[in-house]
Amino acid sequence: MTSVPAPAVLVFLDSQHPQGRIVDATAPQLMATDLGATRGDGVFESLLAVDGKPRKVPAHLKRLASSAAMLDLSIPAPQAWEAAISTAIDVFRDAKPDEDEIVVKLLVTRGVEGAAEPTAWVQASPSPALGRQQRKSGIDVVMLDRGYDSDLADRAPWLLLGAKTLSYAVNMAALRYAHTKGADDVIFTSTDGRVLEGPTSTVLLAHQETSDDGTVTKRLITPQLDAGILPGTSQGALFVAAKAAGWELGYGPLVPEDLLDADAVWLISSIRLIAPVNHIDGQRIGKDPAVAAALTAELNELFAGIS
């Protein structure tokens, strides 16, 4: 195996290398004129590999293809991505066997102007320590207006709402703004008052009710996708597991008051996993900390069983 020359492994996809072409991550690899760099013209996915096993690969490849279709972007076939993912993980683990979690990114751009093929690669790197800590300690968030109403995705498909593109400048700016307010993350809202998503995550909330006969009902809710938000692969997989475990499921529309009235709120993503929300705009979430902790523990257990 090739050793890791940097904190990341890069494997480029091309027709001459069925398993992917391993390159030096410390050397320049992307053309300065690549449209991914100059215009953010491309799409990506991020997934987690635990103990060498990548999670939810089919779901991520399906969403990658969906995002690419929205951009009219041709991308490599799923088999090519799967081979490159395997190569990147094997090379990374060969050099860093003690890393139990690896962040695997799939990136594809339109290439340089007039290119016959897109530029596509897989990157493997360590899981960030901050994300792991936030799974345990939880996060404080602020709600920010995203600046458009919940019907805009249907009226203006060219805005690519719901596609996971490389144009993440606005999302990163929102996170930086949250940090200036002493918060860790953001929940976006629409101009007509709907709860949308986080810059890099999906919003979940839960209610737990106990009937007079002692029956406990747990309901897991997420915003509706028709508001132009990114379909969450983690949310989708968790909903399947929760339904099998007896949870009731719901899909918005949600308003900010729904979050403030919930027994628990989380931001969920493929890398950070399930992060409990402690405060929203300074207001404590959850009427009973013990209930919120129990709900979080149950969801974590369900999510751990997802492959």
Side-chain angles (χ1 to χ4, degrees):
M1 290 289 185
T2 302
S3 62
V4 178
V9 168
L10 298 182
V11 179
F12 275 72
L13 286 70
D14 64 55
S15 56
Q16 303 301 314
H17 299 81
Q19 298 303 119
R21 175 170 53 89
I22 304 167
V23 302
D24 184 354
T26 65
Q29 300 296 339
L30 196 67
M31 292 287 291
T33 54
D34 191 290
L35 294 174
T38 60
R39 295 182 179 174
D41 194 356
V43 295
F44 78 103
E45 283 289 322
S46 299
L47 60 93
L48 193 68
V50 180
D51 295 329
K53 298 178 181 179
R55 304 183 66 180
K56 303 188 278 89
V57 172
H60 283 287
L61 290 178
K62 181 179 179 181
R63 191 170 67 179
L64 184 73
S66 176
S67 294
M70 294 176 70
L71 273 70
D72 293 323
L73 176 63
S74 296
I75 66 173
Q79 296 84 352
W81 288 109
E82 291 167 357
I85 290 169
S86 179
T87 297
I89 292 173
D90 287 347
V91 172
F92 190 95
R93 282 174 58 81
D94 186 61
K96 298 180 178 291
D98 294 334
E99 292 282 353
D100 60 333
E101 291 186 0
I102 305 171
V103 176
V104 181
K105 291 188 176 182
L106 321 181
L107 304 102
V108 57
T109 80
R110 205 172 299 275
V112 298
E113 193 80 44
E117 294 183 352
T119 304
W121 71 99
V122 172
Q123 172 183 309
S125 57
S127 173
L130 178 60
R132 295 192 189 208
Q133 178 58 41
Q134 289 178 345
R135 299 175 200 167
K136 300 176 182 179
S137 61
I139 54 177
D140 293 338
V141 307
V142 292
M143 285 189 283
L144 298 181
D145 189 338
R146 203 173 218 176
Y148 58 75
D149 64 58
S150 58
D151 295 326
L152 186 60
D154 289 333
R155 298 199 313 273
W158 55 87
L159 293 180
L160 304 177
L161 303 180
K164 196 172 179 70
T165 74
L166 293 174
S167 303
Y168 254 49
V170 170
N171 289 356
M172 298 302 98
L175 287 174
R176 290 192 296 272
Y177 180 84
H179 297 162
T180 67
K181 301 300 181 182
D184 305 296
D185 215 316
V186 169
I187 293 176
F188 285 124
T189 59
S190 64
T191 55
D192 53 340
R194 294 262 296 269
V195 173
L196 299 174
E197 59 191 343
T200 63
S201 58
T202 304
V203 178
L204 297 176
L205 67 85
H207 289 284
Q208 177 172 297
E209 298 177 356
T210 303
S211 63
D212 293 339
D213 64 2
T215 301
V216 177
T217 300
K218 289 169 286 190
R219 191 160 191 253
L220 191 60
I221 308 170
T222 195
Q224 286 179 310
L225 293 178
D226 63 1
I229 65 177
L230 185 72
T233 61
S234 295
Q235 171 267 314
L238 183 60
F239 265 40
V240 172
K243 183 177 181 180
W247 288 60
E248 294 183 357
L249 307 179
Y251 294 85
L254 298 174
V255 296
E257 289 75 15
D258 294 321
L259 301 178
L260 302 177
D261 291 339
D263 289 312
V265 175
W266 305 273
L267 293 184
I268 181 172
S269 60
S270 293
I271 306 305
R272 188 171 55 187
L273 306 181
I274 301 173
V277 175
N278 296 327
H279 298 87
I280 297 177
D281 290 339
Q283 182 168 331
R284 183 77 192 181
I285 301 302
K287 308 172 189 67
D288 187 336
V291 169
L295 291 171
T296 299
E298 184 170 349
L299 287 187
N300 278 322
E301 185 175 351
L302 291 173
F303 200 59
I306 295 170
S307 60

